[in-house]
Amino acid sequence: MIKSSAIGVYDSGFGGLSVWRELRRLLPEESLTYLGDGKNCPYGGRSREAIIGFAEAAVERLLEEGVKLIVVGCNTATTAAIDHLRERWPDLPIVGLEPAVKPACLTTRSRRIAVLATEHSLKSDMFLRTASRYAQDVEVLKVVGRDFVEIVEASEEHTDRADRAVRSVVEPLVGSGVDRIVLGCTHYPFLRPLIERIVGDSGIEVIDSGEAVARRVKWLLERYDIAQSEGATPEFKFLTFADEEYRGRLELKAQTIERELTNEK
Ligand code: DGL
């Protein structure tokens, strides 16, 4: 593993780009190679075996590119495949994503939180383990973001379709006693402005895992002594199992994020 190699980021599609944003914020000198499957997306309703197969293919592809660390920027693939990936590549640093149940449970005052995620993630052993560890005296409402992934994949976050889908899921949570909504799927942060508009000033806080994951990546880079040297200019690459049009759309979305980050400064 060499310091100048890229970090590989993988998701079923566009979702991992919400993690990309946090990686770019915290680690601006690191090169990133992004693989958005696209061909098999959405993963949410698929079997564990199928998702393990997609994740293995993705890691193999990213290793062909010479990445030094892999971020599984997908809660669904993490819950299904991370143990398997770590067993198969024991020397490769692999960071997974889990819904931010812990911070939500530690900060909720109403002792009632909602976790929005895919069907697969909410049913997984990993989720049940985390929930039983941190949410003993907290009621956890499990809510599938119906159509959210498809909307983000179609770049329709700013349409009536998105408004309808988000309203039907989030409105019932407002006034339900929930004071934290956890975004447990990496596609969902792209709908965050809409979610926050619907939540309004109800006192509900919306939480995702992106920033925490970027901090974990930074920690691992330092621990393995593989962080990029200071002052380096990062390079970006985009890969997919779908077609060239899809690959181009991933790249465009990342460019939009880059512009937003520049405007934040
Ligand atoms: N972005 C993914 C997640 O975090 C998966 C979405 C999907 O493909 O269903 O769960």
Side-chain angles (χ1 to χ4, degrees):
M1 281 182 279
I2 37 174
K3 294 181 176 194
S4 59
S5 301
I7 294 169
V9 184
Y10 154 62
D11 178 52
S12 63
F14 281 74
L17 289 171
S18 67
V19 182
W20 166 292
R21 182 195 299 274
E22 300 305 329
L23 290 169
R24 291 287 299 131
R25 263 201 189 117
L26 192 66
L27 302 162
E29 285 157 353
E30 294 292 339
S31 292
L32 301 176
T33 298
Y34 186 87
L35 193 154
D37 178 335
K39 187 170 164 203
N40 306 296
C41 186
Y43 285 5
R46 292 186 184 269
S47 73
R48 180 161 183 266
E49 292 66 34
I51 299 169
I52 289 176
F54 304 146
E56 278 194 312
V59 172
E60 277 167 13
R61 181 72 188 85
L62 286 167
L63 287 176
E64 277 168 28
E65 295 291 322
V67 300
K68 61 184 175 185
L69 177 151
I70 287 186
V71 180
V72 180
C74 175
N75 295 260
T76 311
T78 299
T79 54
I82 197 121
D83 293 344
H84 188 90
L85 299 176
R86 287 186 175 137
E87 241 165 67
R88 184 161 163 201
W89 288 283
D91 298 326
L92 176 69
I94 305 178
V95 179
L97 252 103
E98 262 198 89
V101 173
K102 181 181 165 186
C105 287
L106 292 177
T107 57
T108 173
R109 280 185 295 270
S110 66
R111 314 313 289 161
R112 203 165 207 228
I113 67 166
V115 179
L116 261 55
T118 66
E119 207 178 316
H120 189 285
S121 293
L122 292 172
K123 280 191 191 148
S124 69
D125 291 345
M126 189 182 272
F127 176 74
L128 296 176
R129 267 202 310 273
T130 311
S132 66
R133 186 156 166 215
Y134 296 106
Q136 279 157 0
D137 62 338
V138 175
E139 191 185 348
V140 181
L141 307 187
K142 293 185 275 181
V143 185
V144 175
R146 289 256 172 259
D147 210 26
F148 286 17
V149 171
E150 289 81 351
I151 286 167
V152 173
E153 286 294 307
S155 304
E156 289 189 12
E157 292 100 307
H158 304 291
T159 61
D160 289 347
R161 176 185 174 193
D163 196 69
R164 275 196 305 277
V166 174
R167 253 175 218 293
S168 75
V169 169
V170 177
E171 264 176 0
L173 296 175
V174 179
S176 70
V178 156
D179 69 352
R180 297 286 181 274
I181 294 180
V182 176
L183 304 184
C185 168
T186 53
H187 281 72
Y188 299 178
F190 289 113
L191 295 165
R192 192 184 185 118
L194 210 47
I195 295 171
E196 283 180 337
R197 203 176 325 134
I198 293 164
V199 160
D201 56 6
S202 64
I204 297 178
E205 199 177 308
V206 182
I207 307 176
D208 69 55
S209 321
E211 207 185 313
V213 166
R215 280 200 303 269
R216 172 86 185 146
V217 171
K218 184 167 192 273
W219 185 83
L220 280 173
L221 291 175
E222 282 159 12
R223 187 180 150 200
Y224 283 81
D225 194 22
I226 49 172
Q228 177 67 281
S229 338
E230 245 173 79
T233 307
E235 286 173 20
F236 307 128
K237 191 164 184 177
F238 298 86
L239 308 168
T240 182
F241 295 143
D243 56 13
E244 176 52 29
E245 194 250 348
Y246 188 86
R247 202 202 61 76
R249 287 182 51 228
L250 288 173
E251 191 161 0
L252 274 180
K253 179 108 181 162
Q255 283 165 2
T256 308
I257 294 171
E258 289 296 314
R259 272 198 303 278
E260 287 167 3
L261 289 175
T262 311
N263 291 338
E264 269 177 17
K265 285 180 194 152

